[in-house]
Amino acid sequence: MGWWQISADTLAGSRFVLSPLAETFAGLRLLHAARAAHPGERAWLDAHLPAYRARLTADPVTALLVPSALGTVWIADFLTVTPRGDETFEEEVERVRRVPSATARAHLRVSLGGPLPAPLDRDDLGERAADLLTHVWEDAVRPYWARRRRILQADVVARTAQVARGGWAAALDALRPGTRWLGGNRLQVNAHELPPREISGAELLFVPVTPQRVGWVSWEGTRRYALVYPCTGALAGEAGREPVPAGLETLLGAARARVLMLLGTPMSTSHLVAVTGQGLGSVGRHLRVLLDAGLVERCGRAGRSVLYVRTAAGEVLAEAGRGREASRG
């Protein structure tokens, strides 16, 4: 397994950030695999796979670059520049474009586990990668970015609250399969047999993306490390969320039941609006009813936003609904 040695000060100073480029690269991986984790991803693939495949058909060199860079165990590092948390997509992708050609070729040899195919022994690999990522951003990510950003912010709020409630060990164990806190200041970052890395004293970033079944690590020299993980599945997309049990929907109404089911993790009113598509007034009314019924409670703040989460009574109701649904199935 691959793991990082992390000092207590480094972990305490770590932070969650968003990255348009990480979201775009996750989308590229999803387009390449063409395997959806839920119906929402399937609809997204159906909408954007034709243009992506047409783009590669017209550019055989880039079509070869993609599977070579994604590899089987290791991704070519020049495609996964480490986020900094304060850059636009254009600023991030420019760092891919500027990667020296010799560096890009060296990274590809690692991801391939052997020599380069002759068509990839060239000096424009960074430019080709940046152009493809820009195509994916413009066609398949940017139209959804405003909403996805709010969903990712909701995930960060939930993870931050989890750290506050249960400490970093619990939060890290729940990030993604293959990631867990091993004790002894060791963080397992994947299941591959790779040499450990000492990252104490560096900046450590956690970066959520909405596509499921993806995740990777990256670093910038020895001063900045990032762990990219799929955001909470319940937040990933309209069709990908946990279904509302029919009995709970009958009891509370579909919209209010949806709010209750989403509040298994702390969320603010604005995040609920972003994820459910309901209006601000509607979400506010649902929260007031659920608060009055003792099914949700205020659990803190994120900036100026109040966070809500299910109470023990709300958990019982949600679990009862799930159990009823399962017995019918």
Side-chain angles (χ1 to χ4, degrees):
M1 63 184 174
W3 56 273
W4 293 346
Q5 187 79 29
I6 304 174
S7 68
D9 287 344
T10 296
L11 189 56
S14 64
R15 58 194 177 102
F16 291 87
V17 302
L18 306 187
S19 165
L21 182 63
E23 181 75 8
T24 301
F25 181 70
L28 173 63
R29 292 182 66 181
L30 180 54
L31 288 165
H32 176 70
R35 290 190 305 110
H38 55 71
E41 284 190 353
R42 181 73 263 164
W44 183 83
L45 284 171
D46 290 345
H48 299 289
L49 260 178
Y52 172 76
R53 287 174 170 168
R55 172 77 166 70
L56 294 188
T57 298
D59 185 355
V61 173
T62 302
L64 178 60
L65 173 62
V66 173
S68 300
L70 295 182
T72 55
V73 174
W74 197 255
I75 300 168
D77 288 351
F78 76 98
L79 276 180
T80 57
V81 295
T82 304
R84 296 173 180 173
D86 56 357
E87 293 178 300
T88 64
F89 171 82
E90 290 74 20
E91 290 169 331
E92 289 185 302
V93 81
E94 186 60 27
R95 292 199 280 136
V96 177
R97 193 180 302 278
R98 293 199 310 264
V99 169
S101 53
T103 299
R105 290 195 296 269
H107 290 174
L108 282 172
R109 292 187 188 99
V110 173
S111 62
L112 285 164
L116 284 180
L120 296 182
D121 191 6
R122 53 195 302 137
D123 292 334
D124 63 350
L125 297 174
E127 292 179 10
R128 286 181 175 275
D131 286 346
L132 180 62
L133 287 164
T134 298
H135 166 80
V136 175
W137 165 254
E138 293 290 347
D139 178 71
V141 177
R142 186 176 182 177
Y144 313 99
W145 178 240
R147 181 176 180 277
R148 288 189 181 192
R149 184 175 59 240
R150 290 191 292 268
I151 290 171
L152 295 172
Q153 288 169 339
D155 182 88
V156 169
V157 168
R159 305 283 181 179
T160 303
Q162 190 174 26
V163 171
R165 291 198 308 270
W168 274 106
L172 294 174
D173 284 349
L175 273 183
R176 66 182 177 95
T179 299
R180 63 192 180 100
W181 186 248
L182 299 173
N185 290 342
R186 295 176 303 152
L187 171 63
Q188 179 181 326
V189 296
N190 56 46
H192 302 310
E193 292 299 328
L194 299 168
R197 297 182 70 91
E198 170 63 65
I199 74 166
S200 297
E203 183 180 18
L204 176 59
L205 306 173
F206 298 100
V207 187
V209 292
T210 62
Q212 304 294 284
R213 297 185 182 147
V214 300
W216 63 90
V217 297
S218 67
W219 48 80
E220 188 176 336
T222 58
R223 64 183 181 276
R224 182 178 292 112
Y225 290 78
L227 193 156
V228 181
Y229 66 92
C231 77
T232 304
L235 302 178
E238 287 291 331
R241 293 193 229 116
E242 180 181 9
V244 176
L248 196 60
E249 185 173 307
T250 302
L251 178 66
L252 298 177
R256 190 168 298 150
R258 169 63 66 197
V259 170
L260 180 64
M261 294 304 292
L262 281 169
L263 289 176
T265 55
M267 297 181 71
S268 69
T269 304
S270 60
H271 292 144
L272 287 167
V273 168
V275 174
T276 63
Q278 300 175 38
L280 180 62
S282 295
V283 169
R285 286 191 294 275
H286 297 324
L287 285 171
R288 282 196 295 274
V289 171
L290 294 170
L291 280 165
D292 290 344
L295 299 178
V296 303
E297 63 185 351
R298 299 177 181 88
C299 64
R301 303 185 72 90
R304 298 179 180 178
S305 300
V306 176
L307 301 179
Y308 300 87
V309 72
R310 283 198 301 259
T311 62
E315 288 289 348
V316 169
L317 194 59
E319 286 299 322
R322 291 192 195 99
R324 182 71 173 172
E325 203 79 359
S327 66
R328 288 177 177 174

